[in-house]
Amino acid sequence: MYELLRKPADLDRLRPFIEHCENCMAAFLRGFFDSEGSISEAGEIKVSNTDLELLRYIGRLLGRLGIETGEPRLMAPKGTPTYFPGRKKTYKKRRDCFIMLIRMHCNPTYHLRVGFTIKRKQERLEQYVRRRQATQPLSQFSLLFIP
């Protein structure tokens, strides 16, 4: 397992396992977003990492599941000072850090197909989806499925 997951990730070795089926892709994405992703109170889902190619791969996987993303963009360049209040120290970033956002209109699809394992993140996503559904007018198609 160590050889498979060592850094930097060897995507060519991992790809057959990740892309085995949609459930495997969703499980991989769920784990990745649990560790590297976040969701704001407003429902903005984003993921950050220092490996730009990995983020692009994540974007392609999400696209295969019908979830649109923006292009990864530089969030914090190498050398950016970052303060950690718990340690009361400032550190400089050793590598460029990139961020990628999921398009807001794809949050319900992300909720259904991927989601989060971490309870607080999943609850925040569910709250956003409920708020969004409450404010959306019923479409002609949704009228067909009302019991």
Side-chain angles (χ1 to χ4, degrees):
M1 186 64 102
Y2 170 78
E3 286 298 316
L4 192 61
L5 298 175
R6 69 175 185 252
K7 291 187 179 181
D10 184 356
L11 291 178
D12 291 330
R13 289 181 71 194
L14 295 173
R15 191 169 279 119
F17 303 104
I18 295 168
E19 297 177 16
H20 175 261
C21 63
E22 286 188 3
N23 289 336
C24 291
M25 285 190 293
F28 171 76
L29 291 167
R30 187 176 311 112
F32 192 79
F33 275 80
D34 279 346
S35 64
E36 305 293 322
S38 66
I39 179 166
S40 70
E41 291 279 338
E44 181 181 68
I45 302 172
K46 55 188 167 185
V47 64
S48 58
N49 197 282
T50 58
D51 188 339
L52 182 58
E53 286 308 309
L54 180 58
L55 279 182
R56 287 183 175 142
Y57 178 63
I58 295 294
R60 287 192 300 274
L61 288 177
L62 288 165
R64 288 175 59 180
L65 294 177
I67 302 165
E68 298 174 27
T69 64
E71 276 296 310
R73 65 179 196 267
L74 184 63
M75 179 179 77
K78 178 180 176 179
T80 301
T82 305
Y83 180 70
F84 288 88
R87 295 184 180 171
K88 298 180 181 173
K89 286 184 99 176
T90 300
Y91 296 92
K92 287 188 178 182
K93 295 204 179 286
R94 288 186 255 169
R95 299 180 68 187
D96 290 339
C97 187
F98 300 91
I99 190 167
M100 184 172 65
L101 283 77
I102 290 180
R103 303 267 186 232
M104 295 288 280
H105 70 273
C106 291
N107 283 7
T109 307
Y110 179 87
H111 175 255
L112 290 173
R113 308 229 35 211
V114 179
F116 292 101
T117 304
I118 296 176
K119 189 177 178 180
R120 66 180 161 75
K121 291 181 180 183
Q122 183 66 17
E123 287 173 352
R124 188 172 281 177
L125 177 58
E126 289 169 358
Q127 288 170 0
Y128 170 78
V129 170
R130 275 194 300 273
R131 281 193 318 266
R132 184 172 185 262
Q133 287 174 343
T135 61
Q136 292 288 324
L138 292 176
S139 70
Q140 293 175 350
F141 297 109
S142 63
L143 291 174
L144 298 174
F145 300 106
I146 294 176

